[in-house]
Amino acid sequence: MSREQQDALSRTALGVFRLNGQFLAVSEKLAEPAGLTAAWWQVLGAVLPEPLPVAGIARVMGITRQSVQRVADLLVREGLAAYEPNPAHRRAKLLAPTEAGRAAVRRIDPGHAELAALLMRELGGQEAFDETVRVLERLSAAMDAVNASYQEPPSHG
């Protein structure tokens, strides 16, 4: 690996870490009026389209199953989500939002829409915003591929 490649990797990682912090900070502000935290909103958002097992939520979010389990249990305790039977796996229950959970997420929508509009304007329009999304998705897919190669046992040959 050349010094130039290493520098690019370092700059990419630092940029992503900074972005993560920026997104978490703004997410906390957006979620607060709805009585949620950023983590609660993130887990609820993952199950809005369809109920998922905790392990599935963790995979989609790229975090540990234990982290999701803690948040899921809190959401259930607060009445914002419920565990449902999973026809595919008897022991891995599905997490589904309750109506109260859906209502809480809907209360975030106006601030979310405002943030999207502000970001679009700062990025220079919808086309630039879409390109940013494509680049980030491509980076994520590349990291998935790289991580998969690190999971494989080394070949001795």
Side-chain angles (χ1 to χ4, degrees):
M1 179 187 287
S2 73
R3 171 55 40 201
E4 188 177 7
Q5 289 170 325
Q6 286 180 278
D7 289 346
L9 174 60
S10 294
R11 287 178 45 225
T12 300
L14 290 172
V16 169
F17 295 151
R18 181 166 184 206
L19 269 173
N20 183 58
Q22 291 169 316
F23 272 107
L24 286 173
V26 75
S27 295
E28 288 293 345
K29 288 179 188 153
L30 288 174
E32 189 177 19
L36 301 175
T37 67
W40 290 20
W41 178 23
Q42 198 174 14
V43 171
L44 276 174
V47 298
L48 285 176
E50 65 178 339
L52 293 170
V54 167
I57 299 166
R59 235 182 339 274
V60 168
M61 292 171 55
I63 59 176
T64 66
R65 190 197 61 74
Q66 294 82 355
S67 300
V68 175
Q69 187 67 63
R70 280 192 295 276
V71 172
D73 289 344
L74 288 168
L75 290 170
V76 169
R77 192 181 76 212
E78 296 295 319
L80 298 168
Y83 289 116
E84 298 178 347
N86 183 349
H89 193 287
R90 197 165 42 92
R91 288 183 39 220
K93 301 248 183 264
L94 298 173
L95 185 71
T98 61
E99 187 45 48
R102 288 182 185 283
V105 172
R106 280 193 299 270
R107 286 194 294 278
I108 297 170
D109 278 349
H112 190 259
E114 181 182 349
L115 176 61
L118 289 169
L119 265 177
M120 185 197 62
R121 212 166 27 253
E122 284 298 317
L123 288 167
Q126 190 62 51
E127 191 175 312
F129 203 165
D130 292 343
E131 179 60 19
T132 300
V133 172
R134 281 192 292 279
V135 168
L136 290 171
E137 288 171 342
R138 188 168 151 220
L139 176 60
S140 181
M143 284 303 300
D144 281 342
V146 167
N147 283 333
S149 72
Y150 274 99
Q151 309 287 322
E152 296 170 7
S155 61
H156 299 288

